[in-house]
Amino acid sequence: MNRNISLITLNQFLTNTADSIFQIVLFWYVYHQTGSALSASLVTAISFTIQIFLSPLIGVLSDRYNPLTTMQVSFGILGLVGVIFAPVYFYLKSLIVIYIYFAVIIHTCCMMLEGSSKNRLIPLFVGEENVVKTNGYISSSGNLASLIGNSLGGGILAVISFAGVMLIHSGLYFLAAVILLFLIKVKSSQEKSEILVTELKAETKKSDVKLKKPKFFQEMLDGFKLLKSNRPLLKLVILSTVLNIAMLNASLLVVLVSDQYHGTSTIYGLFNMFGIISSIVIGLIIGKLTTKFKTPTLFAVGLAISGVATVLMGVTNIIAIGILLNMLVLASGAILRITFNSFMMICVEDKFRGRMMSLAIAISAIIVPAVSLLGGYLSDKFGVGIVYILSGSWIFIWTLFPLIDKDIREINLGIKQKRGEFAKSI
């Protein structure tokens, strides 16, 4: 069990290191080529647009096949994207911008497949009683990797070429795929876990009897029906969708630090570094938080802290205070993200988990492309501080919703951890 948790955590570290290198190099190139906040926001808009339209399809794929296999295929494709980038960079520079946008699309699709498959894999290999703890570990590992990746990406970019950075990024993805080969399938003490592990083994066995699978569209439609029937999860997805209106400030931290705080790239690095450190701390203690506090309380406190801190970031121009506020924003975001992901892993049966995760992504992201572009426009027009104030105010408005909604009030991850019991399946 501990071996699997360690391997999954290491896999997440490698994945996030590669992903952060990709993101920082990409945003750096786009922003400094155009000098426009709107152009930087366009990359986010493209990524979320892909999520909206393709997430349901990718969710069906992740449920149809062995999660280990789909994760490894995803890492392999992501690695190839960086390898192919090298000849494009050196010999086809006129096509480099087109290839970058193509890479964003492929990267988004593969990361969605990897994420959906990972949500299936974790409960099967660590047991549902360890889901919150494992999610905390991989969150901390991922945030540490992002910190290292941001530093490595910028540093390596200054020493070697853009193509060299992408090759390093590819090597990390290939290594992440290899790590998964060392996972050991274990049986949980709970009867249902034994059934799920058996189902996973059955998926990997070759059989002379070909089972007739439901039609692709029907499987996707089943996912919508199941989401509708699970009211607590549906309410959380709706809340996430509404809160994403606050993503006006998506990708605008660099603009805030530069324009409002008059900071250098070093100051921007400090904002990221301390923010990620706060997320790492939350990841390490989230298991204890979910046993001591009710889940709706964690949601409400996370929203309140995030909202107030975001507003204040748009008001102040003192660097030290801005760094502290950014730490609070990322820490509260980690609480919300880990709690939501853990609940989804526990409350959804394995064979539907990929579809449910992908549907949650698609639905919650539906407003993000337009909102992120609007945020970039408002920042160029009225100043980035106004965008942060609007975003934080919107988040704070929804603070009490988790406490007053009867379906969300029923969620309690702490009990599931203490008893090691399975949640009622859909």
Side-chain angles (χ1 to χ4, degrees):
M1 190 76 71
N2 289 332
R3 171 194 172 98
N4 285 346
I5 293 176
S6 299
L7 288 173
I8 291 171
T9 302
L10 177 59
N11 172 271
Q12 188 67 32
F13 177 84
L14 294 172
T15 302
N16 276 48
T17 301
D19 182 54
S20 60
I21 289 175
F22 178 83
Q23 296 291 343
I24 192 170
V25 169
L26 183 67
F27 276 102
W28 182 272
Y29 182 87
V30 172
Y31 183 68
H32 284 271
Q33 284 292 111
T34 64
S36 170
L38 181 59
S39 296
S41 298
L42 182 59
V43 176
T44 302
I46 291 174
S47 178
F48 276 98
T49 300
I50 295 300
Q51 292 181 39
I52 292 168
F53 290 103
L54 295 185
S55 273
L57 300 177
I58 290 174
V60 174
L61 287 176
S62 67
D63 280 338
R64 278 194 167 199
Y65 302 103
N66 188 323
L68 282 174
T69 302
T70 51
M71 288 181 72
Q72 289 173 318
V73 169
S74 298
F75 292 139
I77 295 174
L78 288 167
L80 288 175
V81 167
V83 172
I84 296 173
F85 183 86
V88 174
Y89 180 80
F90 287 114
Y91 302 109
L92 300 169
K93 286 198 172 183
S94 61
L95 299 176
I96 190 169
V97 175
I98 295 175
Y99 184 79
I100 285 176
Y101 284 109
F102 171 77
V104 170
I105 295 172
I106 298 299
H107 181 271
T108 302
C109 291
C110 288
M111 290 305 293
M112 284 192 295
L113 181 59
E114 183 270 340
S116 297
S117 301
K118 182 174 62 182
N119 277 3
R120 288 188 60 204
L121 180 140
I122 289 176
L124 296 173
F125 282 83
V126 305
E128 294 200 8
E129 67 275 11
N130 292 310
V131 162
V132 177
K133 180 175 72 174
T134 304
N135 272 333
Y137 287 160
I138 65 176
S139 175
S140 295
S141 172
N143 284 315
L144 177 61
S146 296
L147 179 63
I148 294 174
N150 288 340
S151 302
L152 284 178
I156 298 174
L157 186 60
V159 176
I160 62 177
S161 68
F162 195 6
V165 177
M166 292 299 291
L167 288 175
I168 293 175
H169 140 279
S170 295
L172 292 172
Y173 276 128
F174 290 141
L175 184 57
V178 172
I179 291 294
L180 294 178
L181 296 174
F182 297 95
L183 285 174
I184 298 175
K185 298 173 185 176
V186 295
K187 291 186 178 181
S188 172
S189 59
Q190 284 77 25
E191 180 181 356
K192 191 172 181 181
S193 182
E194 293 177 354
I195 295 174
L196 294 176
V197 173
T198 302
E199 289 178 352
L200 179 60
K201 290 180 178 180
E203 288 179 5
T204 60
K205 289 181 179 180
K206 293 182 178 180
S207 175
D208 294 331
V209 180
K210 294 184 179 180
L211 299 176
K212 184 178 180 181
K213 295 183 178 179
K215 291 183 179 180
F216 201 88
F217 179 78
Q218 183 60 48
E219 290 185 72
M220 188 168 60
L221 186 61
D222 288 343
F224 280 103
K225 292 179 179 178
L226 290 166
L227 179 59
K228 183 180 178 181
S229 68
N230 190 322
R231 291 185 62 83
L233 182 57
L234 178 62
K235 292 288 185 69
L236 287 179
V237 172
I238 293 174
L239 178 61
S240 177
T241 304
V242 172
L243 289 173
N244 276 343
I245 295 176
M247 289 193 69
L248 287 168
N249 63 338
S251 308
L252 296 181
L253 180 61
V254 62
V255 182
L256 182 75
V257 173
S258 178
D259 294 355
Q260 182 158 312
Y261 293 94
H262 307 292
T264 62
S265 58
T266 301
I267 299 299
Y268 176 64
L270 291 175
F271 267 79
N272 281 297
M273 181 181 72
F274 283 103
I276 291 174
I277 289 174
S278 68
S279 298
I280 292 172
V281 173
I282 292 298
L284 295 175
I285 66 173
I286 190 65
K288 294 181 179 179
L289 290 178
T290 53
T291 56
K292 290 185 177 181
F293 301 99
K294 292 183 178 180
T295 304
T297 302
L298 289 177
F299 279 130
V301 171
L303 290 174
I305 294 174
S306 180
V308 172
T310 302
V311 169
L312 293 178
M313 284 183 70
V315 173
T316 185
N317 59 2
I318 301 174
I319 292 175
I321 295 178
I323 291 175
L324 176 61
L325 292 171
N326 191 54
M327 290 177 67
L328 293 175
V329 170
L330 293 186
S332 58
I335 292 175
L336 297 172
R337 183 179 64 256
I338 296 171
T339 305
F340 175 78
N341 287 341
S342 299
F343 174 68
M344 178 171 288
M345 290 182 188
I346 292 174
C347 81
V348 179
E349 191 177 350
D350 170 66
K351 60 183 179 181
F352 301 118
R353 198 172 289 137
R355 274 168 283 178
M356 297 290 273
M357 180 65 181
S358 297
L359 284 174
I361 292 174
I363 295 171
S364 61
I366 199 165
I367 195 72
V368 174
V371 167
S372 60
L373 290 175
L374 177 61
Y377 171 78
L378 292 176
S379 178
D380 286 339
K381 192 78 173 177
F382 303 106
V384 68
I386 296 296
V387 177
Y388 268 76
I389 293 172
L390 291 174
S391 296
S393 299
W394 182 254
I395 294 172
F396 187 78
I397 289 173
W398 293 92
T399 297
L400 295 179
F401 183 77
L403 300 177
I404 62 178
D405 182 83
K406 65 178 183 179
D407 294 313
I408 295 180
R409 288 205 312 266
E410 295 176 359
I411 301 173
N412 195 338
L413 293 177
I415 292 179
K416 300 178 188 301
Q417 280 185 275
K418 290 176 181 178
R419 298 178 182 176
E421 294 179 343
F422 280 89
K424 191 175 182 180
S425 297
I426 297 174

